[in-house]
Amino acid sequence: MSDSQKERMLRGELYDPLDPQLCAERRQARLLFQALNCTTENQEQERKRLLKELIPAAGTNLWIELPFYCDYGSNITLGDRVYFNFNCVILDVAPVTIGSDTMLGPGVHIYTVAHPVAIAERRSNLEFGKPVTIGNEVWIGGGAIICPGVRIGDRSVIGAGSVVVKDIPADVVAVGNPCRVIRSL
């Protein structure tokens, strides 16, 4: 019996993103975040309901400034008291884990999806994912991009506009493109 494309995706193997099951799941996520993004400030209960359906593994006191976008939502795990500012994007073809008391500035993008570098493989239109893990009490500045496979340690600060392509340890300030540690906390 062959593996489903979803199983391959979640294991970080090459998979077909146009698989009907995956397309249906992304379509469902889009319907949910579109409905969420159309809510108003006085629709708090509806926002909570939509967020719980979109991101079932969210901790308590999640706050997301709208608009917000993701691929699936079901591959995102959030700790307690996580804050997302406006226009955050999470491409969650692989697990994205964000610890408690973490804050994301406006326009932060988290990518788990990647494509083969070799042109022959890239022509196949297959892709793969690598998980992203962000620790507790992390602050990620506006416009930062977190690339596939990155781990950011607890209590670290990522400067605005940084492109994080490698792991960042705990208790540091890291900035730039590519993002690099500039001091310890």
Side-chain angles (χ1 to χ4, degrees), residues 3-16 126:
D3 292 332
S4 72
Q5 293 299 309
K6 182 175 181 174
E7 290 168 328
R8 294 177 62 80
M9 177 185 81
L10 292 174
R11 283 196 308 263
E13 298 172 5
L14 286 172
Y15 71 93
D16 179 2
L126 299 179

Side-chain angles (χ1 to χ4, degrees), residues 72-83:
Y72 297 93
S74 59
N75 299 323
I76 301 170
T77 301
L78 303 174
D80 297 328
R81 297 168 305 281
V82 172
Y83 174 77

Side-chain angles (χ1 to χ4, degrees), residues 54-110:
L54 181 61
I55 307 172
T60 61
N61 297 317
L62 170 63
W63 189 263
I64 296 181
E65 301 286 358
L66 304 176
F68 170 77
Y69 305 94
C70 64
D71 270 335
Y72 297 93
S74 59
N75 299 323
I76 301 170
T77 301
L78 303 174
D80 297 328
R81 297 168 305 281
V82 172
Y83 174 77
F84 288 50
N85 211 318
F86 300 101
N87 275 322
C88 287
V89 175
I90 300 179
L91 302 185
D92 62 314
V93 305
V96 173
T97 304
I98 299 175
S100 295
D101 300 302
T102 290
M103 301 182 299
L104 280 68
V108 168
H109 288 203
I110 300 172

